Amino acid sequence: MQTGKETLGFQTEVRQLLNLMIHSLYSNKEIFLRELISNASDATDKLRFEALTDSALFEEDSVLKIRLAFDKDNKTITISDNGIGMSRQEVIDNIGTIAKSGTREFFDRLTGDQAKDANLIGQFGVGFYSAFIVAEKVTLITRRAGLTSEHGVIWESNGEGEYTIENVEKASRGTEITLHLREGEEGMLDAWRIKSIVRKYSDHIQLPIVMMDEEGNDEALNQASALWARSKSEISQEQYDEFYKHVAHDHEAPLAHVHAKVEGNQEYTQLLYIPSRAPFDLFDRESRHGIKLYVRRVFIMDDAEQLMPQYLRFVKGVVDSNDLPLNVSREILQESKTIEAIRSGCVKKVLAMIEDLDAEKYAKFWKEFGRVMKEGVGEDFANREKIAKLLRFASTRLDTDEESVSLADYVSRMKEGQEKIYFVTAETFASAKNSPHLEIFRKKGIEVLLLSDRVDEWLVSNLHEFEGKQLQSVAKGGLDLGSLEDEEEKKEQEKESGEYKDLVERIKRELEDKVKEVRVTHRLTESPACLVSDQHDMGMNLERLLKSAGQNVPASKPILEINPHHPLVQRLKYEEERFSDWSAILFDQAMLSEGGQLDDPAGFVKRLNGLMLALSGR
Ligand code: ADP
Ligand code: MG
């Protein structure tokens, strides 16, 4: 095993991050202290947890604390903890690399525009590297709890691409980080300044943060009690926000929080937050959940995924149970009735918190997390109705892709005689909005929801009704507008269906392989034809989505509907010579206008050109 001095290079991503951070976060440089204290606090949490099963790790020093010190002559600030510490390999893995999933994607999104990238950095979490905002050199000395003193490690870097690492003697366990301040940062070397930064950003830290005063006594700089265990009236908004930044490893204040003590069968405290912004890895399968589990104030685990369903994976915060045993493991959690009860209580609280957001915050929330919330309809049967109320959609009423229409809004605007909630699904917003299926609805002034997220198909396959009103795809089944059509319209339609019977039969013969049926429709006002699916078949958009995801989908043929009022269709009645080409083109253009792909695009072009030439008389 290596014990001597090595010089290693930072991972490319770390180099980029360092560079970006130093420049874009400079105006808020005090946060370095918050980040280092937050890490020290995490490290003592980890020690306390590991010591539950191995009390020797305390090494006869069980009073956990964080110590701050500064040295005016040497221009240094030192942050030390007696937490878990790190082994040599852990230093390399944790400090030299960024192991978070989705890191590559994050860096691909950087634009080079400093203002924009500074925002992105917030989503990524700045952490340890923020030390380099104020330090030209950082020295970290650490020893893992339980290892002997010669296993201490010293790590040093100027933040410019490389670091050195070497074994050293370290008697006490834990980590000590010394910042050698940059020229011009001397203002940090001031007890009053340091105290006020700690009070502002780190007051919520559970263990004491101490600094020596002029007489040589330790002075506590924070309240050192778990924030969630205090009563609400004692906690300021700012303290709630700073605590969020600590648990969520986020840089921005949250959108909302809920803090409650639950008593009764289960006793637990929950302090849960909705972030202002979706993390960059929200759709990454490995993305981590954000709930920390404590048992009677003792940290048990990060990322307690049993406490929040998948669709609420963006929620961050703390749950502290009075009932669980301290030695609870992930395996136990999976089967625990206590956890089940806590989880359902947490979900209720979160849904209520979302419901209570004001309009402006709601719009923000939906923009960031709407797609994930939609998963909830299929995932959380017990809360389906509540979730349905929270959904927002784009609609023909606005014709923008902004998702702001709730099902309740829609229902309240339904026309007299309208019985169903109409929607169209498509792969893009543009093809949803321009779908030929909407023509009759626009003409009659009936609102239709425009669904173009991938998850929307999954949503509507799980949500069949809202407040007793059926959800109906406008591209499925025969068009039945019920009493929205008057008697005269219905009579006329019957008459036309009769007149076009022959044509319908002829087209059907031509397209036998491609369509299930051909029929006259009244849903079109401008287009000559469109495709619909049988009410119980899979919709065409869903079929396309599944196919593109590589799934084997049973082939179902669509129904071709033709518009008797369209001149092309009328003309087709008298067409003999090129009838076959006309029919094929009618089908293909219906396919194109709903965003589908042609089986034989070259054949389509050839037939179209043939017809154009014939019409131009050459
Ligand atoms: P994060 O805290 O979000 O994981 P950081 O960049 O702040 O990211 O820290 C990176 C990792 O370095 C931590 O996850 C931890 O494993 C390790 N680390 C940092 N500071 C300490 C410390 N004081 N004691 C032990 N480990 C630490
Ligand atoms: Mg950190």
Side-chain angles (χ1 to χ4, degrees):
M1 195 177 31
Q2 263 280 14
T3 56
K5 186 161 180 168
E6 280 181 283
T7 302
L8 298 171
F10 283 123
Q11 189 191 18
T12 323
E13 285 85 351
V14 175
R15 250 179 260 183
Q16 269 172 289
L17 184 68
L18 274 166
N19 199 330
L20 189 64
M21 188 148 52
I22 293 166
H23 294 105
S24 60
L25 295 178
Y26 188 74
S27 57
N28 199 9
K29 58 190 172 190
E30 296 178 341
I31 58 155
F32 79 90
L33 200 53
R34 169 185 81 195
E35 296 297 332
L36 298 180
I37 289 175
S38 166
N39 287 348
S41 162
D42 289 346
T44 54
D45 270 349
K46 282 179 204 156
L47 175 74
R48 214 174 317 180
F49 177 65
E50 288 192 18
L52 288 176
T53 46
D54 180 6
S55 60
L57 292 178
F58 276 128
E59 303 177 11
E60 286 163 20
D61 169 20
S62 62
V63 183
L64 301 176
K65 59 174 153 232
I66 299 172
R67 176 174 294 283
L68 304 185
F70 63 94
D71 178 339
K72 278 201 160 141
D73 300 334
N74 293 314
K75 294 207 284 178
T76 59
I77 295 185
T78 301
I79 297 103
S80 38
D81 65 66
N82 55 355
I84 192 74
M86 284 178 272
S87 67
R88 185 168 179 135
Q89 191 55 44
E90 283 171 325
V91 174
I92 294 173
D93 292 344
N94 299 338
I95 304 286
T97 49
I98 304 176
K100 293 186 176 117
S101 61
T103 306
R104 211 27 301 143
E105 292 77 351
F106 171 79
F107 282 93
D108 287 345
R109 272 163 57 192
L110 295 178
T111 59
D113 173 337
Q114 254 181 38
K116 276 190 199 142
D117 292 348
N119 263 330
L120 279 175
I121 272 257
Q123 291 176 54
F124 197 75
V126 286
F128 174 79
Y129 302 108
S130 63
F132 289 101
I133 305 175
V134 293
E136 60 182 14
K137 185 169 85 173
V138 176
T139 309
L140 174 148
I141 303 177
T142 186
R143 178 179 53 87
R144 202 174 200 294
L147 296 182
T148 49
S149 62
E150 68 266 27
H151 280 93
V153 178
I154 178 164
W155 176 101
E156 206 160 56
S157 176
N158 60 6
E160 282 170 11
E162 288 181 341
Y163 61 87
T164 60
I165 185 165
E166 186 178 5
N167 279 23
V168 288
E169 282 273 332
K170 188 175 188 303
S172 58
R173 68 151 194 273
T175 304
E176 178 182 302
I177 297 170
T178 301
L179 312 184
H180 307 266
L181 297 184
R182 290 178 193 279
E183 196 69 41
E185 300 298 348
E186 294 78 7
M188 288 288 172
L189 299 164
D190 176 73
W192 188 85
R193 176 100 189 258
I194 291 176
K195 278 189 227 172
S196 72
I197 299 175
V198 170
R199 229 169 287 132
K200 179 167 172 195
Y201 294 114
S202 308
D203 188 59
H204 59 78
I205 294 289
Q206 230 183 316
L207 73 165
I209 304 170
V210 300
M211 190 160 71
M212 218 175 262
D213 64 14
E214 278 160 19
E215 283 85 52
N217 299 315
D218 273 351
E219 182 187 359
L221 309 186
N222 64 331
Q223 292 193 45
S225 69
L227 184 95
W228 63 90
R230 302 181 203 164
S231 82
K232 283 195 213 178
S233 58
E234 289 169 24
I235 310 172
S236 69
Q237 182 64 43
E238 209 172 23
Q239 287 174 322
Y240 274 125
D241 288 355
E242 287 307 324
F243 182 68
Y244 163 78
K245 291 177 193 170
H246 168 64
V247 289
H249 302 256
D250 196 354
H251 183 63
E252 256 182 284
L255 194 64
H257 75 262
V258 58
H259 182 193
K261 284 192 177 51
V262 178
E263 274 152 14
N265 275 348
Q266 309 294 337
E267 281 189 24
Y268 61 95
T269 301
Q270 56 200 176
L271 174 50
L272 303 172
Y273 294 89
I274 298 175
S276 293
R277 214 184 278 272
F280 63 92
D281 59 354
L282 187 61
F283 290 95
D284 195 316
R285 278 190 187 284
E286 286 163 47
S287 102
R288 305 181 66 196
H289 286 234
I291 309 295
K292 280 180 192 270
L293 175 66
Y294 285 75
V295 172
R296 294 182 287 283
R297 317 280 180 278
V298 177
F299 170 77
I300 303 294
M301 66 179 77
D302 272 321
D303 191 17
E305 72 268 11
Q306 289 84 0
L307 288 173
M308 224 21 100
Q310 268 293 329
Y311 73 101
L312 296 178
R313 60 186 176 272
F314 55 86
V315 174
K316 310 273 175 176
V318 165
V319 170
D320 187 348
S321 159
N322 275 348
D323 308 308
L324 288 168
L326 277 169
N327 61 358
V328 64
S329 66
R330 281 185 201 271
E331 292 66 44
I332 295 178
L333 285 188
Q334 270 162 14
E335 285 149 24
S336 157
K337 286 266 176 281
T338 308
I339 285 291
E340 233 179 86
I342 296 179
R343 169 185 165 123
S344 102
C346 287
V347 169
K348 269 204 192 88
K349 274 277 186 277
V350 170
L351 294 178
M353 155 165 70
I354 296 172
E355 207 179 323
D356 289 344
L357 293 174
D358 65 28
E360 194 188 322
K361 285 191 172 168
Y362 202 95
K364 253 184 122 178
F365 163 77
W366 191 258
K367 204 167 146 263
E368 296 294 324
F369 302 110
R371 275 169 67 198
V372 193
M373 285 302 294
K374 287 173 180 175
E375 296 172 11
V377 169
E379 198 188 322
D380 188 351
F381 187 76
N383 289 300
R384 185 174 289 173
E385 264 171 56
K386 268 194 200 144
I387 299 168
K389 278 193 193 139
L390 300 174
L391 300 173
R392 297 293 183 272
F393 300 99
S395 115
T396 49
R397 198 175 108 93
L398 301 164
D399 264 343
T400 67
D401 61 358
E402 184 195 341
E403 295 186 328
S404 61
V405 173
S406 71
L407 292 172
D409 291 340
Y410 182 99
V411 169
S412 73
R413 286 196 289 262
M414 277 171 50
K415 297 215 119 186
E416 193 163 325
Q418 181 181 345
E419 283 153 14
K420 295 176 179 176
I421 298 172
Y422 293 104
F423 66 86
V424 62
T425 57
E427 220 161 338
T428 61
F429 175 73
S431 67
K433 180 179 135 178
N434 299 320
S435 164
H437 297 111
L438 298 179
E439 290 173 8
I440 183 73
F441 292 89
R442 286 199 204 274
K443 184 176 164 208
K444 290 189 172 285
I446 303 168
E447 184 172 3
V448 178
L449 302 175
L450 305 172
L451 277 48
S452 55
D453 262 352
R454 275 168 175 253
V455 60
D456 285 335
E457 283 288 356
W458 154 254
L459 174 96
V460 293
S461 68
N462 282 292
L463 187 70
H464 302 291
E465 55 146 48
F466 178 77
E467 291 180 354
K469 307 278 188 297
Q470 195 191 330
L471 269 77
Q472 172 68 46
S473 162
V474 299
K476 269 192 178 183
L479 179 73
D480 175 17
L481 292 176
S483 54
L484 288 166
E485 280 171 314
D486 55 37
E487 283 308 308
E488 215 156 293
E489 281 175 319
K490 281 185 192 155
K491 262 199 204 125
E492 197 190 333
Q493 287 169 15
E494 257 165 49
K495 195 173 128 231
E496 278 166 354
S497 293
E499 283 170 17
Y500 280 81
K501 213 166 154 224
D502 285 348
L503 180 62
V504 161
E505 283 303 317
R506 283 172 69 202
I507 298 177
K508 199 170 165 183
R509 252 174 273 135
E510 287 297 336
L511 299 177
E512 216 165 26
D513 301 339
K514 292 181 171 167
V515 302
K516 193 170 190 171
E517 196 187 328
V518 179
R519 64 193 180 207
V520 170
T521 189
H522 301 92
R523 70 174 102 219
L524 300 173
T525 60
E526 288 161 30
S527 308
C530 68
L531 295 173
V532 299
S533 308
D534 241 356
Q535 183 74 347
H536 300 292
D537 281 351
M538 186 182 285
M540 313 232 331
N541 187 51
L542 180 56
E543 200 174 305
R544 276 192 294 275
L545 284 178
L546 292 177
K547 271 189 191 147
S548 76
Q551 293 205 32
N552 226 339
V553 213
S556 63
K557 290 187 204 166
I559 297 163
L560 178 72
E561 294 194 343
I562 56 170
N563 172 8
H565 298 275
H566 198 282
L568 267 185
V569 174
Q570 289 168 349
R571 186 183 186 283
L572 206 51
K573 264 177 138 176
Y574 310 102
E575 180 66 40
E576 295 295 341
E577 202 182 330
R578 292 181 175 270
F579 188 79
S580 166
D581 285 348
W582 276 111
S583 305
I585 283 178
L586 213 53
F587 177 85
D588 284 350
Q589 61 164 268
M591 181 62 97
L592 285 176
S593 63
E594 79 148 59
Q597 283 194 345
L598 302 183
D599 288 340
D600 175 18
F604 171 72
V605 172
K606 207 164 146 194
R607 278 189 287 273
L608 191 66
N609 289 346
L611 285 182
M612 287 199 288
L613 283 175
L615 289 173
S616 66
R618 284 167 199 245

